[in-house]
Amino acid sequence: MRTRALFIVGLIIVMLATACGGQQQAPAGGGEAAKPFRIAVVMPSATTDMAFSQSMWSALKAVQAEMGGETALELKYSENMFKVPDAAAAIRDYASQGFNIVIAHGSQYGASVEEIAKDFPNTTFAWGTDVNTFGLPNVYAYTAAAEQGGYVNGVMAAMLTKSKLIGVTGPIEVGDAKTYIDGFVQGVAAVDPSITVSKTWTGSFSDVALMTEAAKTHIAAGADVLTGSSQSVVGSIGAAKEAGNVLWFGTQQDQASLAPELVVASQVYDWTALIKQMIANYKDGKLGGITYVLELKNDGLKIAFNPNFPLPADVKAAAEKAIADIKSGAITVNP
Amino acid sequence: MTEILSAAVIVGILTSAIRLATPYLFASIGEAFAQTSGVLNLGVDGIMLMGAFSAFYVTLHTGNVWLGALAAMAVGLLMGLLMSLISVTFKAEQGISGIGLYMFGLGLSSLLFKVLVGTVYTISGFPVVKIPFLSQIPYIGQIFFQHSLPVYAAFLLVPLAWWLLDKTTWGLKIKSVGQNPAAADSLGVNVDRVRYFSVCLGAVLAGLAGASLSTALVNLFQENLTAGLGFIAVALVYFGGWRPLGILTGALLFSVVNAFQLWLQVLGVNIQSDVAVMLPYLLTIAVLAFSMNRVRQPAALNKPFERGEN
Amino acid sequence: MPPNLVAAKPILQRKLSIDLKDVLFRASLPLLAMLAALVIGAVLLILLRANPFQAYAAMITGVFGSTSGFTQSLTKATPLLLVGLGICIAFRASVINIGAEGQIILGALAATWFSLTFRHWPGWLLIPAVLLVSFLAGAVWGFIPGVLKARLSVNEILSTVMMNAIALQLMNLLIRGPLMDPAGITAGTYLAQSERIPEQAWLPRLVPQTLLHAGAILAVVLALLVYIFLWRTTIGYRIRAVGLNPDASRYAGINVSLYQALSLTLAGAFAGLAGAVEVIGVQHRLLEGITSGYGFSGIVAALFGGLHPLGLVPASWLFGSLLVGADKMQRAVQVPSALVDTILGLVVLFVVASSLLSRRWSSRRTIELSTTEEANS
């Protein structure tokens, strides 16, 4: 009997909580003067992944700081949404809460965006990486031409390797993990076709232990320059650091902080320009229908040279020439 | 393909394998203690994650890897107590308690990482210690005697666990409660206490397995650092037939094949990378299936003990 | 033998007089355990400077306060129920199937491949065919560990853990190879996804603007069929007998290994169906991460449902609601998603621990009942 009473008391508490919560939420959703611009983002991995999700989250944070903090730009996030139905629910939720822009930061969210965007014609949706806006006027698609920065990194790597052996540690040969490395290989070949680029794929985006061992294997085989993609490459960087004399090229995020003495440069995805353009367009009444490609040309891709690494002048010059050539179209890098 | 048979590559494969086997040895031998006493703990991965985070966090802030290892053991012990409380005292279904423990460990370690650390840092973990003289032996020295301390510890654990299980009264008690708890009980063995001890010992070792990752092998922490390694560790206990030597064989087999497939890829052998990654899993099943020696599992494994029930 | 069965036996004998108080109590215990776990979760929420009342209110209104939340919990419950049915059959034969993740992948692969290859078939033919093919593909992935156990006594925990990894790599191989979306190759994005499957292969939606699809009904019907199979057919009876007492079954002339292999095969088949339903009901294409971890959460759902096909229906819905509500909570108070996992882990631990109290209670009730009956007679 006592337990049942307890249960009822529990239920009452829960109901009370529901009521309280409802009251607290009400004023927030009311909407008064000086409303901030509101952006919500749904991401497949954590905001601290040192890779894809973090690149978007830090861009949003940077735009927020530039616009004047939370009063000017309200940000909400859902991370680790690797389950598409959950992500779809989150996207729909944010849209119905009246967010101005909802960013679905994962190529797996496309179908959900296509469906939901039709139901919220006054909300801007952005999704990537892909190029398909489904012909909808309120959808942006964005993607990163990761092969471009890969090419630049490849040029530098080819000039810095002494053993003529470069190691690539990748997760699965798909998406920008593939295109970055394809570009990298082209960059190396452009400098010196006799250099061997050997690739390992661990079959997982998250297996740090295997990624570390893959990097150690490259080093044991004689590689003195490494690169790679995905959140698990932090393991490769650790392995390079342990070896001491092996250089690293990063992508997606600036990875210099992980090994300041070894990271030569990182290709950085900079989404701030995209975000700012979307906000400006929204205010002008244009909600989407645009495919946005992060490129070196539009400063969406940047090569972040590590200031702590003593990069020889000729290598830096070659890298800058490669950047200029890709921007001008003198070099085309195939994904 | 001929390159793969060169001495340098074989030394490389075996050196890698020794490193790769380290976390499995800690975790699997720990799990063997728990299972021998009759408790199936599927939550090893969650304990490893908590151990890995604690070791990383303490090392990051104190700069002392030993304190880190100690923290991993303490946190492992706490997770072990939680598992024992639920599966021994509350006699819950062990499979599901383990999965609950895994979810809890995965969630809490990620949460703590996010709140207390925030982003990925590399730390200087246990340094490589070259054993004097032995490390000078050609080939052998490089393969076995140029590693960090947790690697040596993992391999020393094998004879230690064998001695503990086969040669001491404690070992006998652990086996008896795993085989026939009712009989052990009637002989005056405190079944619950022995199971608590075994599960907690296993959890401490799982904590160390995590520490060996975050402070010796990869020297960093990230959400879900183990990526399911703990489940493989549980599988290897079955491969090894609950005997430390068998577990050593299983862990080495799995790791040698894993190192081998990495070298296949590095040397550019024409094989799909996914097929290469599959190899250790395929071979572990195949070797077990076609090896003739079979061990019966502890009779009371996965069965909570209640007095007067049997 | 699953301990729940041990406890259940005396009740089954006494079940003729349905005692409302008993049922109420047994149903409320897991709920109380869940509440206790949520209280600890509240402490964590306070530590993260989030308002626990607001958080849990969002959790409850998130599921029960709107059509979208409610249908979402049912959508989520569907694969959990399908996987859980398989887990339940295996557990009944005393086989622990950790391999549902891999079996889901096989089902999803088969569904994608089949619906893309036979894209011109009409829906009334294509959908049943896809379901059948996925059922078989999952069955194969369960049959392998089953036969390894029966013929070569390879422990199923080992083989299913390994088979999960193998299935994952198989999917990687296919998704970056023959199954990769040609549009992604043309656009140079090389995304880890297949082409979208033809529209007539999609399971019909039950509520517009939601993801709830006909697979939910299929799953409930199958739960009923599994119940009939296990309790009303000879094969089902033998599967349960093998689980209850393998030695006695062997003496009774039942081929224990055969029935254990059969139960693993069926477990795989149901997980395969879950994979198919995710592809043709929800995603409409194959994606990296298609399993969503249902292979593990399905085990939890199965045990919450007392390893009974009919108990699984409410249990998987409850668990689905919990997952959906937890996500809503994360959105409402903006806490790291890891907190949600932590709280879910605590809920599982608390609920599973509460089963002892429930067993103690029922055995006491049984004794009470028999004594009162004796007194009455």
Side-chain angles (χ1 to χ4, degrees), chain C residues 270-282:
Chain C
F270 278 96
L273 267 187
V277 159
E278 282 301 284
V279 169
I280 66 174
V282 179

PDB file of all heavy atoms in Angstrom, chain C residues 270-282:
ATOM      1  N   PHE C 270      14.419 -11.237 -37.319  1.00  0.00           N
ATOM      2  CA  PHE C 270      13.619 -10.106 -36.845  1.00  0.00           C
ATOM      3  C   PHE C 270      14.445  -8.813 -36.835  1.00  0.00           C
ATOM      4  O   PHE C 270      13.937  -7.745 -37.183  1.00  0.00           O
ATOM      5  CB  PHE C 270      13.033 -10.397 -35.460  1.00  0.00           C
ATOM      6  CG  PHE C 270      11.785 -11.221 -35.539  1.00  0.00           C
ATOM      7  CD1 PHE C 270      11.821 -12.599 -35.394  1.00  0.00           C
ATOM      8  CD2 PHE C 270      10.567 -10.617 -35.805  1.00  0.00           C
ATOM      9  CE1 PHE C 270      10.669 -13.365 -35.493  1.00  0.00           C
ATOM     10  CE2 PHE C 270       9.412 -11.372 -35.918  1.00  0.00           C
ATOM     11  CZ  PHE C 270       9.464 -12.754 -35.757  1.00  0.00           C
ATOM     12  N   ALA C 271      15.722  -8.927 -36.462  1.00  0.00           N
ATOM     13  CA  ALA C 271      16.576  -7.743 -36.522  1.00  0.00           C
ATOM     14  C   ALA C 271      16.717  -7.286 -37.972  1.00  0.00           C
ATOM     15  O   ALA C 271      16.717  -6.084 -38.269  1.00  0.00           O
ATOM     16  CB  ALA C 271      17.942  -8.042 -35.919  1.00  0.00           C
ATOM     17  N   GLY C 272      16.799  -8.242 -38.891  1.00  0.00           N
ATOM     18  CA  GLY C 272      16.878  -7.900 -40.311  1.00  0.00           C
ATOM     19  C   GLY C 272      15.652  -7.117 -40.751  1.00  0.00           C
ATOM     20  O   GLY C 272      15.754  -6.139 -41.498  1.00  0.00           O
ATOM     21  N   LEU C 273      14.483  -7.542 -40.268  1.00  0.00           N
ATOM     22  CA  LEU C 273      13.249  -6.818 -40.575  1.00  0.00           C
ATOM     23  C   LEU C 273      13.320  -5.386 -40.058  1.00  0.00           C
ATOM     24  O   LEU C 273      12.879  -4.447 -40.727  1.00  0.00           O
ATOM     25  CB  LEU C 273      12.062  -7.505 -39.902  1.00  0.00           C
ATOM     26  CG  LEU C 273      11.283  -8.533 -40.700  1.00  0.00           C
ATOM     27  CD1 LEU C 273      10.060  -8.952 -39.897  1.00  0.00           C
ATOM     28  CD2 LEU C 273      10.843  -7.950 -42.032  1.00  0.00           C
ATOM     29  N   ALA C 274      13.885  -5.241 -38.849  1.00  0.00           N
ATOM     30  CA  ALA C 274      14.029  -3.892 -38.293  1.00  0.00           C
ATOM     31  C   ALA C 274      14.867  -3.037 -39.240  1.00  0.00           C
ATOM     32  O   ALA C 274      14.547  -1.865 -39.487  1.00  0.00           O
ATOM     33  CB  ALA C 274      14.675  -3.952 -36.907  1.00  0.00           C
ATOM     34  N   GLY C 275      15.919  -3.628 -39.786  1.00  0.00           N
ATOM     35  CA  GLY C 275      16.759  -2.894 -40.738  1.00  0.00           C
ATOM     36  C   GLY C 275      15.965  -2.484 -41.968  1.00  0.00           C
ATOM     37  O   GLY C 275      16.065  -1.352 -42.444  1.00  0.00           O
ATOM     38  N   ALA C 276      15.152  -3.414 -42.481  1.00  0.00           N
ATOM     39  CA  ALA C 276      14.353  -3.124 -43.666  1.00  0.00           C
ATOM     40  C   ALA C 276      13.382  -1.994 -43.385  1.00  0.00           C
ATOM     41  O   ALA C 276      13.225  -1.065 -44.185  1.00  0.00           O
ATOM     42  CB  ALA C 276      13.603  -4.378 -44.091  1.00  0.00           C
ATOM     43  N   VAL C 277      12.726  -2.076 -42.233  1.00  0.00           N
ATOM     44  CA  VAL C 277      11.713  -1.079 -41.892  1.00  0.00           C
ATOM     45  C   VAL C 277      12.349   0.306 -41.753  1.00  0.00           C
ATOM     46  O   VAL C 277      11.765   1.321 -42.146  1.00  0.00           O
ATOM     47  CB  VAL C 277      11.001  -1.532 -40.597  1.00  0.00           C
ATOM     48  CG1 VAL C 277      10.336  -0.378 -39.920  1.00  0.00           C
ATOM     49  CG2 VAL C 277      10.000  -2.629 -40.915  1.00  0.00           C
ATOM     50  N   GLU C 278      13.571   0.358 -41.229  1.00  0.00           N
ATOM     51  CA  GLU C 278      14.253   1.644 -41.137  1.00  0.00           C
ATOM     52  C   GLU C 278      14.523   2.212 -42.530  1.00  0.00           C
ATOM     53  O   GLU C 278      14.417   3.409 -42.765  1.00  0.00           O
ATOM     54  CB  GLU C 278      15.580   1.502 -40.372  1.00  0.00           C
ATOM     55  CG  GLU C 278      15.410   1.432 -38.879  1.00  0.00           C
ATOM     56  CD  GLU C 278      14.714   2.654 -38.304  1.00  0.00           C
ATOM     57  OE1 GLU C 278      15.343   3.711 -38.190  1.00  0.00           O
ATOM     58  OE2 GLU C 278      13.510   2.541 -37.993  1.00  0.00           O
ATOM     59  N   VAL C 279      14.864   1.319 -43.460  1.00  0.00           N
ATOM     60  CA  VAL C 279      15.175   1.803 -44.809  1.00  0.00           C
ATOM     61  C   VAL C 279      13.902   2.206 -45.555  1.00  0.00           C
ATOM     62  O   VAL C 279      13.795   3.322 -46.061  1.00  0.00           O
ATOM     63  CB  VAL C 279      15.952   0.737 -45.618  1.00  0.00           C
ATOM     64  CG1 VAL C 279      16.041   1.142 -47.084  1.00  0.00           C
ATOM     65  CG2 VAL C 279      17.340   0.565 -45.044  1.00  0.00           C
ATOM     66  N   ILE C 280      12.913   1.296 -45.611  1.00  0.00           N
ATOM     67  CA  ILE C 280      11.753   1.605 -46.454  1.00  0.00           C
ATOM     68  C   ILE C 280      10.694   2.412 -45.708  1.00  0.00           C
ATOM     69  O   ILE C 280       9.800   2.961 -46.330  1.00  0.00           O
ATOM     70  CB  ILE C 280      11.136   0.333 -47.087  1.00  0.00           C
ATOM     71  CG1 ILE C 280      10.531  -0.586 -46.024  1.00  0.00           C
ATOM     72  CG2 ILE C 280      12.156  -0.412 -47.919  1.00  0.00           C
ATOM     73  CD1 ILE C 280       9.804  -1.763 -46.633  1.00  0.00           C
ATOM     74  N   GLY C 281      10.806   2.497 -44.379  1.00  0.00           N
ATOM     75  CA  GLY C 281       9.814   3.258 -43.625  1.00  0.00           C
ATOM     76  C   GLY C 281      10.281   4.650 -43.255  1.00  0.00           C
ATOM     77  O   GLY C 281       9.511   5.596 -43.263  1.00  0.00           O
ATOM     78  N   VAL C 282      11.585   4.778 -42.892  1.00  0.00           N
ATOM     79  CA  VAL C 282      12.034   6.044 -42.328  1.00  0.00           C
ATOM     80  C   VAL C 282      13.027   6.774 -43.232  1.00  0.00           C
ATOM     81  O   VAL C 282      12.801   7.904 -43.653  1.00  0.00           O
ATOM     82  CB  VAL C 282      12.673   5.821 -40.934  1.00  0.00           C
ATOM     83  CG1 VAL C 282      13.163   7.137 -40.357  1.00  0.00           C
ATOM     84  CG2 VAL C 282      11.665   5.171 -39.993  1.00  0.00           C
TER      85      VAL C 282
END
